[in-house]
Amino acid sequence: MAIFSVQARPTDAAGWTGLARRVEAAGFDALLASDHPGHGASPFVALAAAAAVTSTLGLGSYVSNAGVREPILLATDVATLDVVSGGRARLGLGAGHTPAEWRAVGRERPDVAARVRRCVAVAEAVRDLLAGKEVSVDIPELVARAARLTELRPVQGRVPLTMGTANSTLLRWAGAHADVVGLTGFGRTLADGHQHDVRWRGEQIEAQLAHVAAGAAGRDAPPALEALVQQVTVTDDAEAAAAPIAAETGLRVADLLATPFVLIGTADEIVAAVAEHRRRWEVTRFVVRADAVDQLSPLLPRLAAVA
């Protein structure tokens, strides 16, 4: 079974709540909101609005920036969303790659190792806070003293955690602790602070999955694997549609079409590609952008049946 969710962000009330209703009616698993303070909407405010017009749709951040979010505030937001949605909250976390977001809270973006250490510390702190524990942390990357959710607690026994990353250390941590590993395919952050090189080649994906497997050793069940899909195009000419992306990323068209980070082709070709991603990579979950909703909605019954 292949599971599809939608990542989006609101620009107006009617459009956002209408999207939430469409996504739920079509059979998508969740509506996910990106988290870029100063560059977009607050994810948890937006998701609470979506909760008010839906009843079964999962709702989560994708992903919250652990670099600038403090654990007690993040845990409070997640717990509140879980309460007002009747137990439908999800939490996505990432290390935070955009320098401007760090500067906006008075810090310069640290090196990769420090961002990773903070991300792990935030993830562990939020997990413990949501579980009702008191949390104290004192490391260079994070300080929290006797933090606790004393009144508001999630409805769910465990709020599902997705770690979105391509970093080897975080992939191993996610393999050991997360419910879902969000494979971003991101490489080096480019000068604008938002765009990235990509790690979409077969050997690069295999290396990432090896880190997840190493982290998951000893778990009763490994985390689910999820791909962040950058382009969905239903077309009779997959090669022509894929060619500009292949040129931009430096991949051959055939190699691009083999990755789980794009879904391009006829309806039959997309269904076959999803089945192959499950067989080859064990990727069973996919997150697509809002502009893919109309294209994928008719295919969701077939995609859900992928074995």
mmCIF file with all atom_site columns, all heavy atoms in Angstrom, residues 167-181:
data_model
loop_
_atom_site.group_PDB
_atom_site.id
_atom_site.type_symbol
_atom_site.label_atom_id
_atom_site.label_alt_id
_atom_site.label_comp_id
_atom_site.label_asym_id
_atom_site.label_entity_id
_atom_site.label_seq_id
_atom_site.pdbx_PDB_ins_code
_atom_site.Cartn_x
_atom_site.Cartn_y
_atom_site.Cartn_z
_atom_site.occupancy
_atom_site.B_iso_or_equiv
_atom_site.pdbx_formal_charge
_atom_site.auth_seq_id
_atom_site.auth_comp_id
_atom_site.auth_asym_id
_atom_site.auth_atom_id
_atom_site.pdbx_PDB_model_num
ATOM 1   N N   . ASN A 1 167 ? 20.970 13.798 6.000  1.00 0.00 ? 167 ASN A N   1
ATOM 2   C CA  . ASN A 1 167 ? 22.214 13.747 6.762  1.00 0.00 ? 167 ASN A CA  1
ATOM 3   C C   . ASN A 1 167 ? 22.412 12.363 7.358  1.00 0.00 ? 167 ASN A C   1
ATOM 4   O O   . ASN A 1 167 ? 21.477 11.777 7.922  1.00 0.00 ? 167 ASN A O   1
ATOM 5   C CB  . ASN A 1 167 ? 22.159 14.803 7.862  1.00 0.00 ? 167 ASN A CB  1
ATOM 6   C CG  . ASN A 1 167 ? 23.335 14.732 8.802  1.00 0.00 ? 167 ASN A CG  1
ATOM 7   O OD1 . ASN A 1 167 ? 23.290 14.028 9.800  1.00 0.00 ? 167 ASN A OD1 1
ATOM 8   N ND2 . ASN A 1 167 ? 24.398 15.474 8.484  1.00 0.00 ? 167 ASN A ND2 1
ATOM 9   N N   . SER A 1 168 ? 23.625 11.848 7.290  1.00 0.00 ? 168 SER A N   1
ATOM 10  C CA  . SER A 1 168 ? 23.870 10.474 7.707  1.00 0.00 ? 168 SER A CA  1
ATOM 11  C C   . SER A 1 168 ? 23.583 10.254 9.187  1.00 0.00 ? 168 SER A C   1
ATOM 12  O O   . SER A 1 168 ? 22.972 9.249  9.575  1.00 0.00 ? 168 SER A O   1
ATOM 13  C CB  . SER A 1 168 ? 25.308 10.071 7.369  1.00 0.00 ? 168 SER A CB  1
ATOM 14  O OG  . SER A 1 168 ? 26.239 10.944 7.998  1.00 0.00 ? 168 SER A OG  1
ATOM 15  N N   . THR A 1 169 ? 24.001 11.182 10.045 1.00 0.00 ? 169 THR A N   1
ATOM 16  C CA  . THR A 1 169 ? 23.771 11.023 11.479 1.00 0.00 ? 169 THR A CA  1
ATOM 17  C C   . THR A 1 169 ? 22.285 11.062 11.806 1.00 0.00 ? 169 THR A C   1
ATOM 18  O O   . THR A 1 169 ? 21.785 10.248 12.600 1.00 0.00 ? 169 THR A O   1
ATOM 19  C CB  . THR A 1 169 ? 24.512 12.120 12.263 1.00 0.00 ? 169 THR A CB  1
ATOM 20  O OG1 . THR A 1 169 ? 25.915 12.018 12.001 1.00 0.00 ? 169 THR A OG1 1
ATOM 21  C CG2 . THR A 1 169 ? 24.271 11.980 13.760 1.00 0.00 ? 169 THR A CG2 1
ATOM 22  N N   . LEU A 1 170 ? 21.566 12.000 11.208 1.00 0.00 ? 170 LEU A N   1
ATOM 23  C CA  . LEU A 1 170 ? 20.131 12.087 11.464 1.00 0.00 ? 170 LEU A CA  1
ATOM 24  C C   . LEU A 1 170 ? 19.381 10.899 10.875 1.00 0.00 ? 170 LEU A C   1
ATOM 25  O O   . LEU A 1 170 ? 18.379 10.444 11.453 1.00 0.00 ? 170 LEU A O   1
ATOM 26  C CB  . LEU A 1 170 ? 19.569 13.391 10.913 1.00 0.00 ? 170 LEU A CB  1
ATOM 27  C CG  . LEU A 1 170 ? 19.962 14.652 11.689 1.00 0.00 ? 170 LEU A CG  1
ATOM 28  C CD1 . LEU A 1 170 ? 19.365 15.886 11.027 1.00 0.00 ? 170 LEU A CD1 1
ATOM 29  C CD2 . LEU A 1 170 ? 19.532 14.565 13.151 1.00 0.00 ? 170 LEU A CD2 1
ATOM 30  N N   . LEU A 1 171 ? 19.842 10.373 9.752  1.00 0.00 ? 171 LEU A N   1
ATOM 31  C CA  . LEU A 1 171 ? 19.213 9.176  9.198  1.00 0.00 ? 171 LEU A CA  1
ATOM 32  C C   . LEU A 1 171 ? 19.361 8.001  10.155 1.00 0.00 ? 171 LEU A C   1
ATOM 33  O O   . LEU A 1 171 ? 18.425 7.215  10.352 1.00 0.00 ? 171 LEU A O   1
ATOM 34  C CB  . LEU A 1 171 ? 19.823 8.835  7.841  1.00 0.00 ? 171 LEU A CB  1
ATOM 35  C CG  . LEU A 1 171 ? 19.438 9.763  6.682  1.00 0.00 ? 171 LEU A CG  1
ATOM 36  C CD1 . LEU A 1 171 ? 20.326 9.492  5.470  1.00 0.00 ? 171 LEU A CD1 1
ATOM 37  C CD2 . LEU A 1 171 ? 17.964 9.603  6.302  1.00 0.00 ? 171 LEU A CD2 1
ATOM 38  N N   . ARG A 1 172 ? 20.539 7.867  10.782 1.00 0.00 ? 172 ARG A N   1
ATOM 39  C CA  . ARG A 1 172 ? 20.725 6.782  11.748 1.00 0.00 ? 172 ARG A CA  1
ATOM 40  C C   . ARG A 1 172 ? 19.847 7.006  12.979 1.00 0.00 ? 172 ARG A C   1
ATOM 41  O O   . ARG A 1 172 ? 19.238 6.067  13.499 1.00 0.00 ? 172 ARG A O   1
ATOM 42  C CB  . ARG A 1 172 ? 22.194 6.662  12.136 1.00 0.00 ? 172 ARG A CB  1
ATOM 43  C CG  . ARG A 1 172 ? 23.062 6.080  11.024 1.00 0.00 ? 172 ARG A CG  1
ATOM 44  C CD  . ARG A 1 172 ? 24.433 5.693  11.538 1.00 0.00 ? 172 ARG A CD  1
ATOM 45  N NE  . ARG A 1 172 ? 25.206 6.846  11.977 1.00 0.00 ? 172 ARG A NE  1
ATOM 46  C CZ  . ARG A 1 172 ? 25.973 7.591  11.182 1.00 0.00 ? 172 ARG A CZ  1
ATOM 47  N NH1 . ARG A 1 172 ? 26.069 7.300  9.888  1.00 0.00 ? 172 ARG A NH1 1
ATOM 48  N NH2 . ARG A 1 172 ? 26.644 8.627  11.663 1.00 0.00 ? 172 ARG A NH2 1
ATOM 49  N N   . TRP A 1 173 ? 19.788 8.272  13.468 1.00 0.00 ? 173 TRP A N   1
ATOM 50  C CA  . TRP A 1 173 ? 18.921 8.548  14.613 1.00 0.00 ? 173 TRP A CA  1
ATOM 51  C C   . TRP A 1 173 ? 17.465 8.245  14.266 1.00 0.00 ? 173 TRP A C   1
ATOM 52  O O   . TRP A 1 173 ? 16.733 7.630  15.058 1.00 0.00 ? 173 TRP A O   1
ATOM 53  C CB  . TRP A 1 173 ? 19.064 10.006 15.058 1.00 0.00 ? 173 TRP A CB  1
ATOM 54  C CG  . TRP A 1 173 ? 18.321 10.284 16.330 1.00 0.00 ? 173 TRP A CG  1
ATOM 55  C CD1 . TRP A 1 173 ? 18.809 10.219 17.603 1.00 0.00 ? 173 TRP A CD1 1
ATOM 56  C CD2 . TRP A 1 173 ? 16.940 10.648 16.445 1.00 0.00 ? 173 TRP A CD2 1
ATOM 57  N NE1 . TRP A 1 173 ? 17.817 10.515 18.506 1.00 0.00 ? 173 TRP A NE1 1
ATOM 58  C CE2 . TRP A 1 173 ? 16.664 10.779 17.840 1.00 0.00 ? 173 TRP A CE2 1
ATOM 59  C CE3 . TRP A 1 173 ? 15.919 10.870 15.535 1.00 0.00 ? 173 TRP A CE3 1
ATOM 60  C CZ2 . TRP A 1 173 ? 15.411 11.124 18.316 1.00 0.00 ? 173 TRP A CZ2 1
ATOM 61  C CZ3 . TRP A 1 173 ? 14.650 11.203 16.013 1.00 0.00 ? 173 TRP A CZ3 1
ATOM 62  C CH2 . TRP A 1 173 ? 14.410 11.331 17.384 1.00 0.00 ? 173 TRP A CH2 1
ATOM 63  N N   . ALA A 1 174 ? 17.041 8.675  13.087 1.00 0.00 ? 174 ALA A N   1
ATOM 64  C CA  . ALA A 1 174 ? 15.665 8.433  12.661 1.00 0.00 ? 174 ALA A CA  1
ATOM 65  C C   . ALA A 1 174 ? 15.391 6.942  12.522 1.00 0.00 ? 174 ALA A C   1
ATOM 66  O O   . ALA A 1 174 ? 14.303 6.465  12.876 1.00 0.00 ? 174 ALA A O   1
ATOM 67  C CB  . ALA A 1 174 ? 15.390 9.146  11.341 1.00 0.00 ? 174 ALA A CB  1
ATOM 68  N N   . GLY A 1 175 ? 16.371 6.193  12.024 1.00 0.00 ? 175 GLY A N   1
ATOM 69  C CA  . GLY A 1 175 ? 16.201 4.756  11.937 1.00 0.00 ? 175 GLY A CA  1
ATOM 70  C C   . GLY A 1 175 ? 15.935 4.135  13.290 1.00 0.00 ? 175 GLY A C   1
ATOM 71  O O   . GLY A 1 175 ? 15.160 3.182  13.424 1.00 0.00 ? 175 GLY A O   1
ATOM 72  N N   . ALA A 1 176 ? 16.560 4.675  14.311 1.00 0.00 ? 176 ALA A N   1
ATOM 73  C CA  . ALA A 1 176 ? 16.422 4.136  15.660 1.00 0.00 ? 176 ALA A CA  1
ATOM 74  C C   . ALA A 1 176 ? 15.173 4.625  16.374 1.00 0.00 ? 176 ALA A C   1
ATOM 75  O O   . ALA A 1 176 ? 14.610 3.905  17.213 1.00 0.00 ? 176 ALA A O   1
ATOM 76  C CB  . ALA A 1 176 ? 17.663 4.484  16.479 1.00 0.00 ? 176 ALA A CB  1
ATOM 77  N N   . HIS A 1 177 ? 14.697 5.853  16.078 1.00 0.00 ? 177 HIS A N   1
ATOM 78  C CA  . HIS A 1 177 ? 13.700 6.473  16.945 1.00 0.00 ? 177 HIS A CA  1
ATOM 79  C C   . HIS A 1 177 ? 12.445 6.998  16.243 1.00 0.00 ? 177 HIS A C   1
ATOM 80  O O   . HIS A 1 177 ? 11.411 7.131  16.905 1.00 0.00 ? 177 HIS A O   1
ATOM 81  C CB  . HIS A 1 177 ? 14.343 7.639  17.706 1.00 0.00 ? 177 HIS A CB  1
ATOM 82  C CG  . HIS A 1 177 ? 15.515 7.252  18.538 1.00 0.00 ? 177 HIS A CG  1
ATOM 83  N ND1 . HIS A 1 177 ? 15.401 6.541  19.711 1.00 0.00 ? 177 HIS A ND1 1
ATOM 84  C CD2 . HIS A 1 177 ? 16.850 7.462  18.362 1.00 0.00 ? 177 HIS A CD2 1
ATOM 85  C CE1 . HIS A 1 177 ? 16.599 6.333  20.231 1.00 0.00 ? 177 HIS A CE1 1
ATOM 86  N NE2 . HIS A 1 177 ? 17.491 6.880  19.434 1.00 0.00 ? 177 HIS A NE2 1
ATOM 87  N N   . ALA A 1 178 ? 12.513 7.352  14.988 1.00 0.00 ? 178 ALA A N   1
ATOM 88  C CA  . ALA A 1 178 ? 11.382 8.004  14.332 1.00 0.00 ? 178 ALA A CA  1
ATOM 89  C C   . ALA A 1 178 ? 10.340 6.987  13.878 1.00 0.00 ? 178 ALA A C   1
ATOM 90  O O   . ALA A 1 178 ? 10.627 5.791  13.712 1.00 0.00 ? 178 ALA A O   1
ATOM 91  C CB  . ALA A 1 178 ? 11.863 8.828  13.142 1.00 0.00 ? 178 ALA A CB  1
ATOM 92  N N   . ASP A 1 179 ? 9.122  7.465  13.657 1.00 0.00 ? 179 ASP A N   1
ATOM 93  C CA  . ASP A 1 179 ? 8.080  6.639  13.060 1.00 0.00 ? 179 ASP A CA  1
ATOM 94  C C   . ASP A 1 179 ? 8.204  6.617  11.541 1.00 0.00 ? 179 ASP A C   1
ATOM 95  O O   . ASP A 1 179 ? 7.896  5.612  10.896 1.00 0.00 ? 179 ASP A O   1
ATOM 96  C CB  . ASP A 1 179 ? 6.706  7.175  13.456 1.00 0.00 ? 179 ASP A CB  1
ATOM 97  C CG  . ASP A 1 179 ? 6.504  7.147  14.956 1.00 0.00 ? 179 ASP A CG  1
ATOM 98  O OD1 . ASP A 1 179 ? 6.247  6.062  15.500 1.00 0.00 ? 179 ASP A OD1 1
ATOM 99  O OD2 . ASP A 1 179 ? 6.636  8.215  15.591 1.00 0.00 ? 179 ASP A OD2 1
ATOM 100 N N   . VAL A 1 180 ? 8.636  7.738  10.988 1.00 0.00 ? 180 VAL A N   1
ATOM 101 C CA  . VAL A 1 180 ? 8.792  7.883  9.544  1.00 0.00 ? 180 VAL A CA  1
ATOM 102 C C   . VAL A 1 180 ? 10.112 8.583  9.274  1.00 0.00 ? 180 VAL A C   1
ATOM 103 O O   . VAL A 1 180 ? 10.447 9.570  9.945  1.00 0.00 ? 180 VAL A O   1
ATOM 104 C CB  . VAL A 1 180 ? 7.637  8.711  8.931  1.00 0.00 ? 180 VAL A CB  1
ATOM 105 C CG1 . VAL A 1 180 ? 7.832  8.877  7.426  1.00 0.00 ? 180 VAL A CG1 1
ATOM 106 C CG2 . VAL A 1 180 ? 6.286  8.074  9.237  1.00 0.00 ? 180 VAL A CG2 1
ATOM 107 N N   . VAL A 1 181 ? 10.867 8.091  8.311  1.00 0.00 ? 181 VAL A N   1
ATOM 108 C CA  . VAL A 1 181 ? 12.066 8.776  7.837  1.00 0.00 ? 181 VAL A CA  1
ATOM 109 C C   . VAL A 1 181 ? 11.691 9.489  6.543  1.00 0.00 ? 181 VAL A C   1
ATOM 110 O O   . VAL A 1 181 ? 11.339 8.844  5.552  1.00 0.00 ? 181 VAL A O   1
ATOM 111 C CB  . VAL A 1 181 ? 13.229 7.806  7.587  1.00 0.00 ? 181 VAL A CB  1
ATOM 112 C CG1 . VAL A 1 181 ? 14.454 8.568  7.071  1.00 0.00 ? 181 VAL A CG1 1
ATOM 113 C CG2 . VAL A 1 181 ? 13.577 7.059  8.868  1.00 0.00 ? 181 VAL A CG2 1
#
